[in-house]
Amino acid sequence: MSITIFGITVAGPLIAHGLRMAAYEIQNALRERERRIENEKKEKSQKTVQKTNSATVSPKQISIAVLGMPSAGKTTLHCSLQKKEYTGGLQTLIDQYSSYSIKKSNGTTISIREGIDIGGASNFVFRYKELINKSEKILFLFDIKKYEESKSYRGETNSRLQHVVELIRDSKKQLSFMTLLTHKDEMPSYDDLQSAFTKFRTEISSKNYSEIVLKYQCATIDLTNKKEIQQLIDKFL
């Protein structure tokens, strides 16, 4: 079998070969189109899943316990974390606060569960165990200026710290602990601040609880300084 095209005679086998090649090319094109459509479907499905997960993942939830000495700034810290204005006034007894969210500098959002803000008087120390057992993050605050100037204040602070450490050990929980030496802005100079901080570390270095206090984070802070509050959020919470 042969066929004449534009005066040229083409043999039958060549026609069959051409038809087979054309059919092969068409099949390849169809397969490629199917692969492309399948890949587009997979990409679209993955994007949908990622979008759904992003929308449904809840922020990390934690409870915090803010403990410490009278007038050390516990309520000020609570207000700063909640971005509320603290006007001062009467000493705190027990105040309930609702859950709220805070944001780290990297954009991570953390949800703080509802809790209580307790006063610093000695008759509230019995609440420490309850708060520590309910919390993942423990903060102990004391006034660095008073610690530097008053021997009795130093003794009471050290006694409270020892009690907190014992409760942390007894809780057998995986938690974070931080000691905050507050009111650093009231120290006469930076050298005085460093001297008071060194005195604190030296004062407790021989105590049986020093390992825990010094092992975890320990820092001076100005609770009215928004930058330092944000640093606390980023490093500790």
Side-chain angles (χ1 to χ4, degrees):
M1 176 182 174
S2 62
I3 186 172
T4 300
I5 304 174
F6 300 116
I8 301 173
T9 302
V10 181
L14 290 177
I15 295 173
H17 177 70
L19 291 173
R20 285 196 298 271
M21 290 299 294
Y24 178 75
E25 291 297 330
I26 291 172
Q27 288 177 345
N28 279 345
L30 289 173
R31 290 194 196 99
E32 182 61 30
R33 182 171 179 273
E34 289 174 354
R35 281 196 294 268
R36 189 169 61 252
I37 291 173
E38 187 64 27
N39 288 336
E40 288 175 354
K41 287 181 179 179
K42 288 181 179 179
E43 289 178 4
K44 186 176 180 180
S45 176
Q46 289 174 350
K47 288 180 180 179
T48 300
V49 170
Q50 290 172 354
K51 185 176 181 181
T52 301
N53 287 342
S54 175
T56 57
V57 171
S58 299
K60 177 182 177 183
Q61 290 191 335
I62 62 171
S63 294
I64 62 173
V66 180
L67 315 173
M69 300 295 288
S71 302
K74 297 179 294 301
T75 301
T76 302
L77 177 57
H78 275 297
C79 289
S80 296
L81 293 177
Q82 297 173 62
K83 298 189 182 304
K84 290 182 177 180
E85 183 180 359
Y86 175 60
T87 56
L90 298 175
Q91 290 284 316
T92 301
L93 298 178
I94 296 180
D95 287 335
Q96 185 88 22
Y97 60 84
S98 302
S99 59
Y100 61 94
S101 295
I102 55 177
K103 185 171 286 188
K104 293 192 172 187
S105 296
N106 63 7
T108 302
T109 298
I110 298 176
S111 178
I112 307 297
R113 299 188 188 97
E114 63 179 16
I116 57 173
D117 172 22
I118 64 171
S122 59
N123 56 313
F124 290 110
V125 172
F126 80 97
R127 302 297 297 266
Y128 283 13
K129 182 176 182 178
E130 171 195 350
L131 291 174
I132 288 173
N133 288 338
K134 287 182 177 179
S135 305
E136 292 81 29
K137 305 284 184 176
I138 316 297
L139 290 148
F140 183 86
L141 283 63
F142 68 90
D143 186 328
I144 188 172
K145 190 169 187 292
K146 289 181 180 178
Y147 191 92
E148 166 75 5
E149 297 174 346
S150 171
K151 183 177 180 181
S152 61
Y153 186 88
R154 256 195 322 274
E156 178 61 22
T157 299
N158 294 342
S159 177
R160 294 263 193 110
L161 259 177
Q162 180 176 4
H163 182 56
V164 169
V165 169
E166 289 172 351
L167 291 174
I168 289 174
R169 284 171 173 163
D170 292 342
S171 71
K172 299 178 181 178
K173 287 176 55 181
Q174 186 66 34
L175 50 75
S176 299
F177 175 59
M178 186 172 192
T179 306
L180 290 178
L181 288 67
T182 64
H183 299 304
K184 77 175 197 178
D185 49 304
E186 296 181 7
M187 296 298 290
S189 68
Y190 178 76
D191 288 341
D192 290 320
L193 174 64
Q194 290 300 104
S195 175
F197 186 61
T198 300
K199 175 180 284 188
F200 164 68
R201 295 178 66 90
T202 302
E203 180 80 18
I204 69 167
S205 62
S206 61
K207 310 293 184 182
N208 61 5
Y209 55 88
S210 64
E211 180 183 353
I212 296 294
V213 175
L214 300 180
K215 171 186 174 183
Y216 289 96
Q217 300 179 70
C218 182
T220 60
I221 189 171
D222 174 2
L223 295 172
T224 64
N225 187 309
K226 292 181 179 180
K227 183 178 179 181
E228 293 191 20
I229 292 296
Q230 188 60 53
Q231 290 174 343
L232 173 65
I233 291 171
D234 291 340
K235 293 179 179 179
F236 185 67
L237 300 179

